[in-house]
Amino acid sequence: MGRLAWRMIFAGLTFIGFILIISGCMPEKSSDEPTHEKQEQPVSLAREAQPLSTESIPYQPEVMAEGLNVPWALAIAPDGRMFFTERPGTLRVIQDSKVIEQPVLSFPPPFVEQGEGGLLGLALDPDFSINHYMYVYHSYGENGGIKNRVLRLVEQNNRARVDKVLLDNIPGNQNHNGGRLKIGPDGMLYITTGDALERERSQDRGDLAGKILRIQTDGTIPKDNPDSDSPIYSFGHRNPQGLAWHVETGRLYSTEHGQSAHDELNLIEPGANYGWPVIEGDTAEDGKKRPLMHSGEQTWAPSGILFVRQGPWKNQLLAANLRGEQLWKAELDQKNPEKIVSLHSLFSGDFGRIRDIEEGPDGSLYFLTNNRDGRGQERPDDDKIIRLVSKN
């Protein structure tokens, strides 16, 4: 066959190949091969709190109590008495603006205080003035390890006794014990637990570590929990330490310690997975909740939180910060519970580490310092309860 004939055959084959390509008849690329398409990155949720000058704060700070030993949680009774826990194991009370020297209750063994564990959360029953029920969360030793439990106490004349163990065998460790207790608008008792330094437990729906729990005040499980046989309300948490419900919407929010910075504010939904240890910060994955905001590369170590019920900051969220040594104030959009309108820092460095914050019946705010917890720099007369009194 001549050279000219071969050229004609080759040209014909080339033309046929071109027709096959444009007609879509050529073999498709295997779906298993990498496409190298750039994945869209989620918008960053990192926020930086803007300092609010002392002159701009409508409250004046004053020392309410001092010389305390790592106060962890504060609860105010209808009669004005202020009960608070001290992490080494004492429940105490302030009456008529004075700290009563004798504890309401001192916790004997198997109570233990190690690392971040000890006597932590405190809540008063909605009918405290009638039944005098109090709820506490504390660490205890068992078989050489650390666990946590929730007790119901009965108080009378500034003394208390253990009435009932509501929930025990909550995983614990030197760190990451959670520990916040709050009574919700629904009358249920909500409990935060840490991952007990075993991160994979947070994703296990059969494990109480790394969760927000919800039980009735007699210890039974509410029938409307995500699983009617389990106290677990939400999961995938690392070490949540704050719980608060918006005054008007009734939505539940929680603060949580990140692994390295990336501390979070979350909007809690029943049965939802908040991602730890699979995601944190800006990372996104289907089926796992991202935070409303996080601290980016800064560390806040947020603890107790509060939605202000009255006064100039009504409906705004205040959070106690340990490592951040400040309070921060977040304003949420009234129409969008997931939108943070503004974020400000208050009293940065003025009082050191701050563990919890509560509101009194008259609108005064109270927060607890934790400079004697082994991680702060102790200051004269620490630890303290600071009262914020309205300037108006």
Side-chain angles (χ1 to χ4, degrees), residues 1-16:
M1 185 179 296
R3 183 175 299 176
L4 179 59
W6 279 113
R7 286 180 179 175
M8 292 177 66
I9 292 171
F10 178 78
L13 290 173
T14 301
F15 177 76
I16 292 170

Side-chain angles (χ1 to χ4, degrees), residues 56-208:
S56 303
I57 299 174
Y59 298 89
Q60 179 67 37
E62 60 181 38
V63 176
M64 176 76 178
E66 58 190 12
L68 309 179
N69 195 3
V70 195
W72 209 93
L74 176 69
I76 303 173
D79 60 14
R81 287 181 297 166
M82 303 173 65
F83 294 91
F84 63 95
T85 57
E86 291 180 312
R87 199 179 68 189
T90 52
L91 172 62
R92 304 185 69 184
V93 64
I94 297 173
Q95 187 170 21
D96 299 327
S97 301
K98 295 181 180 180
V99 179
I100 304 301
E101 190 65 27
Q102 185 172 351
V104 176
L105 182 64
S106 295
F107 286 75
F111 169 86
V112 295
E113 183 212 7
Q114 293 184 23
E116 296 174 354
L119 181 57
L120 307 179
L122 170 68
L124 303 185
D125 194 272
D127 293 324
F128 177 80
S129 59
I130 299 172
N131 58 31
H132 292 262
Y133 285 157
M134 313 171 74
Y135 308 91
V136 295
Y137 182 107
H138 79 79
S139 307
Y140 66 99
E142 185 174 275
N143 299 324
I146 298 174
K147 293 185 177 181
N148 297 291
R149 66 184 182 183
V150 179
L151 305 179
R152 185 172 71 188
L153 312 178
V154 178
E155 180 273 339
Q156 184 176 13
N157 298 323
N158 291 336
R159 302 291 182 270
R161 61 176 176 84
V162 176
D163 177 62
K164 186 179 182 180
V165 177
L166 299 186
L167 185 64
D168 58 5
N169 289 315
I170 299 172
N173 210 315
Q174 294 281 339
N175 298 322
H176 298 191
N177 291 288
R180 189 64 60 192
L181 296 183
K182 290 289 181 179
I183 302 287
D186 56 4
M188 301 298 170
L189 181 60
Y190 291 75
I191 306 154
T192 72
T193 72
D195 67 6
L197 296 178
E198 297 181 59
R199 56 175 60 191
E200 68 280 357
R201 302 180 75 163
S202 296
Q203 289 293 317
D204 185 347
R205 296 294 299 271
D207 194 311
L208 297 184

